[in-house]
């Protein structure tokens, strides 16, 4: 029950050698060790001892409830509180006595708070207790609320509700991008000048937008499925999600779907507007020829496919009778699907590599369309993927009917989507943090403090950032 500063500014603390500060109005539970003349006593609070002046004579060796009064010539003045007829040999009994002294009804939340403050030896005044009790009741989880009260007292933070609410949000561990997404959602219907600017800042901070996920969500599932470096669990989860969203027919296996792509490629003729899609189409037709045993001018399927992927021309070669006999053999489904998967991985990687160029994502969309030529089905699938990602982002597992492998894929897609910085590059990290600091408006006070007549233009820029815009709104 050692006393520490309560964070209240109503009175100056009384410094006691060997202990922490006491403040007027605090309630303490302690033992009288020795009695000195003029009602001066050695009182022990927890492990700390102090010399105090008491308002009435007491008996050495007994335990009492005390309340700190105004100082008297530098000494601690303690008022003795009457102990109600409650057994204080236990923590619950001591908490009940405390509530009685404070004049507070012994409801469950109040009893829990009293026990927590006593157990952690935190200072107690009626004002701080009532405030803490109100805040804890509003917290989603009592344990969060109690730990935050302790943190506010120990770190001497302002004992006000706004600080409690902010720390509660932090304690829940909600991702920053999720908080920003929630703010953006609340601003959707607002058309004021400030809110429009605020939404623009949120967009620049890479807040998740439905149309953004609409464009990239399905692509991420496909590339995860065909990624040769991905774990079997991820690949299985991604393919399963492609089936659940209607992009891939239900009931078909991965090998079966790849074989279907190869077979259907023979029905497509002509070239497209971009080279990557042409490369995919040529590769699938090559594998179709291999499946049918009509290779003609190439010696090996894999050799020819590699030349195609590397942008090289076919090599005409004289083939021996033995090689021709090998060529006539039917390629197995496993071999065919492995080559088709490699073809998809390489072409999607090539298209994605150019995504930093404006409009380059068209190539990826063309590849998507090549895998499923039903445009309505693809649009529907994109919508379903987006909905799954949004629900996963909002952490609403009850609305998702997905397996653990599928949840793993959704989590990875979102992490990739929000990854905006290469943490292996120190210069990149430093530059990104500087940009975020500016956009978040964390330098607002510094800018105001150092404002000069010639710096009004720069100050205007500082006011167009998240913090000042949010405060203004």
């Amino acid at each position: 029950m050692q006393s520490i500063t309560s964070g209240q500014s109503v009175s100056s603390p009384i410094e006691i050698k060997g202990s922490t500060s006491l403040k007027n109005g605090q309630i303490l539970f302690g033992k009288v060790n020795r009695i000195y003349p003029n009602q001066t006593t050695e009182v022990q609070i927890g492990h700390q001892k102090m010399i105090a002046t008491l308002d009435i004579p007491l008996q050495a060796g007994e335990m009492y409830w005390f309340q700190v009064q105004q100082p008297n010539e530098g000494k601690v003045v303690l008022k003795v509180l009457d102990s109600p007829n409650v057994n204080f040999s236990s923590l619950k009994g001591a908490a009940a006595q405390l509530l009685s002294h404070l004049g507070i009804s012994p409801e469950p939340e109040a009893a829990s708070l009293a026990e927590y403050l006593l157990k952690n030896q935190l200072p107690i005044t009626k004002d701080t207790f009532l405030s803490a009790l109100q805040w804890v009741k509003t917290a989603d989880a009592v344990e969060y609320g109690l730990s935050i009260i302790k943190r506010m007292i120990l770190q001497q933070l302002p004992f006000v509700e706004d600080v409690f609410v902010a720390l509660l949000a932090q304690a829940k561990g909600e991702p920053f991008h999720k908080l920003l997404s929630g703010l953006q959602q609340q601003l959707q219907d607002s058309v004021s000048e400030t809110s429009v600017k605020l939404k623009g800042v949120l967009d620049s901070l890479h807040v998740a937008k439905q149309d953004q996920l609409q464009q990239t969500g399905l692509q991420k599932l496909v590339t995860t499925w065909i990624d040769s470096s991905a774990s079997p669990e991820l690949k299985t989860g991604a393919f399963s999600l492609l089936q659940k969203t209607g992009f891939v027919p239900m009931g078909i296996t991965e090998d079966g779907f790849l074989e279907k792509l190869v077979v259907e490629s023979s029905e497509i003729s002509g070239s497209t507007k971009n080279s990557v899609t042409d490369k995919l189409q040529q590769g699938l037709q090559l594998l179709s020829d291999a499946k049918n045993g009509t290779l003609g001018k190439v010696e090996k399927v894999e050799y020819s496919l590699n030349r195609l992927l590397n942008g090289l021309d076919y090599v005409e070669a004289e083939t021996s009778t033995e090689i021709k006999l090998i060529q006539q053999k039917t390629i197995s489904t496993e071999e065919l699907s492995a080559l088709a998967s490699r073809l998809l991985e390489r072409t999607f990687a090539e298209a994605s590599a150019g995504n930093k160029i404006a409009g380059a994502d068209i190539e990826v969309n063309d590849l998507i369309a090549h895998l499923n030529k039903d445009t309505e089905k693809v649009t529907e699938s994109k919508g379903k993927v987006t909905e799954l990602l949004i629900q996963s982002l909002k952490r609403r597992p009850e609305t998702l009917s997905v397996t653990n492998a599928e949840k793993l894929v959704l989590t990875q897609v979102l992490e990739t989507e929000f990854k905006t910085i290469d943490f292996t590059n120190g210069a990149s990290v430093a530059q990104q943090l500087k940009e975020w600091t500016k956009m978040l408006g964390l330098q607002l006070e510094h800018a105001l403090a150092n404002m000069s007549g010639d710096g009004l233009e720069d100050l205007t820029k500082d006011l167009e950032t998240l913090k000042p815009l949010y405060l203004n709104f």
Side-chain angles (χ1 to χ4, degrees), residues 123-343:
I124 303 161
T125 67
K126 185 169 184 177
D127 289 341
T128 57
F129 191 96
L130 289 175
S131 296
L133 180 59
Q134 180 183 355
W135 301 339
V136 168
K137 285 181 178 180
T138 62
D140 295 340
V142 175
E143 63 271 18
Y144 279 139
L146 293 175
S147 64
I148 290 169
I149 295 297
K150 179 180 179 180
R151 179 178 174 185
M152 291 173 69
I153 294 173
L154 292 179
Q155 296 186 3
Q156 301 186 43
L157 301 175
F159 209 75
V160 294
E161 186 175 8
D162 286 346
V163 173
F164 177 84
V165 171
L167 292 176
L168 180 63
Q170 183 190 47
K172 289 180 179 178
E174 290 184 300
F176 187 52
H177 64 71
K178 181 183 176 183
L179 296 174
L180 292 179
S181 297
L183 175 58
Q184 190 184 48
Q185 185 69 27
Q186 294 176 13
L187 293 172
Q188 248 182 358
D189 298 329
S190 179
V191 292
S192 68
E193 181 181 357
T194 301
S195 67
V196 170
K197 291 180 180 179
L198 190 52
K199 284 184 279 189
V201 173
L202 291 173
D203 286 343
S204 67
L205 284 166
H206 306 280
V207 178
K209 296 174 292 186
Q210 185 162 337
D211 58 344
Q212 178 182 340
L213 293 175
Q214 185 90 12
Q215 290 298 320
T216 61
L218 183 61
Q219 296 176 10
K220 300 289 186 184
L221 291 189
V222 173
T223 52
T224 301
W225 167 52
I226 60 177
D227 184 3
S228 59
S229 63
S231 67
E233 186 179 17
L234 275 176
K235 292 170 70 69
T236 300
F239 187 76
S240 177
L241 286 171
L242 289 173
Q243 288 183 312
K244 283 188 174 180
T245 57
F247 184 76
V248 172
M250 292 295 292
I252 194 171
T253 64
E254 296 182 51
D255 289 345
F257 179 67
L258 291 169
E259 186 175 15
K260 180 173 177 288
L261 288 178
V262 170
V263 172
E264 292 178 349
S265 68
S266 60
E267 303 172 4
I268 302 175
S269 60
S271 61
T272 63
K273 293 182 179 180
N274 70 70
S275 59
V276 179
T277 309
D278 278 343
K279 188 176 291 187
L280 175 61
Q281 173 60 22
Q282 291 174 27
L284 290 173
Q285 288 179 341
L286 172 65
L287 294 178
S288 179
D289 291 341
K291 175 179 173 59
N292 297 329
T294 56
L295 293 179
K297 297 180 180 180
V298 293
E299 295 182 1
K300 294 181 180 179
V301 179
E302 189 171 354
Y303 174 74
S304 180
L305 185 62
N306 285 336
R307 290 190 63 84
L308 173 66
L309 292 173
N310 292 324
L312 302 176
D313 295 328
Y314 291 129
V315 176
E316 294 193 23
E318 293 296 332
T319 55
S320 64
T321 303
E322 182 180 356
I323 290 177
K324 287 181 179 179
L325 290 174
I326 294 175
Q327 290 171 355
Q328 298 300 319
K329 292 182 178 178
T330 302
I331 188 170
S332 70
T333 300
E334 291 77 11
E335 293 170 329
L336 187 70
S337 63
L339 291 172
S341 182
R342 184 194 306 175
L343 172 64

Side-chain angles (χ1 to χ4, degrees), residues 417-429:
E417 193 67 32
F418 289 112
K419 185 178 181 181
T420 59
I421 180 171
D422 178 11
F423 283 97
T424 64
N425 185 312
S428 173
V429 173

Side-chain angles (χ1 to χ4, degrees), residues 316-384:
E316 294 193 23
E318 293 296 332
T319 55
S320 64
T321 303
E322 182 180 356
I323 290 177
K324 287 181 179 179
L325 290 174
I326 294 175
Q327 290 171 355
Q328 298 300 319
K329 292 182 178 178
T330 302
I331 188 170
S332 70
T333 300
E334 291 77 11
E335 293 170 329
L336 187 70
S337 63
L339 291 172
S341 182
R342 184 194 306 175
L343 172 64
L344 290 176
E345 182 180 16
R346 289 285 297 273
T347 50
F348 268 87
E350 184 177 333
S352 299
N355 269 350
K356 293 182 179 180
I357 304 172
D361 59 341
I362 295 176
E363 290 191 344
V364 180
N365 285 327
D366 286 345
L367 293 177
I368 292 285
H370 211 79
L371 302 187
N372 189 326
K373 299 168 185 63
D374 187 337
T375 54
E376 291 185 6
K377 182 67 72 175
V378 171
T379 301
E380 181 183 347
S381 180
K382 284 183 177 181
K384 290 182 178 179

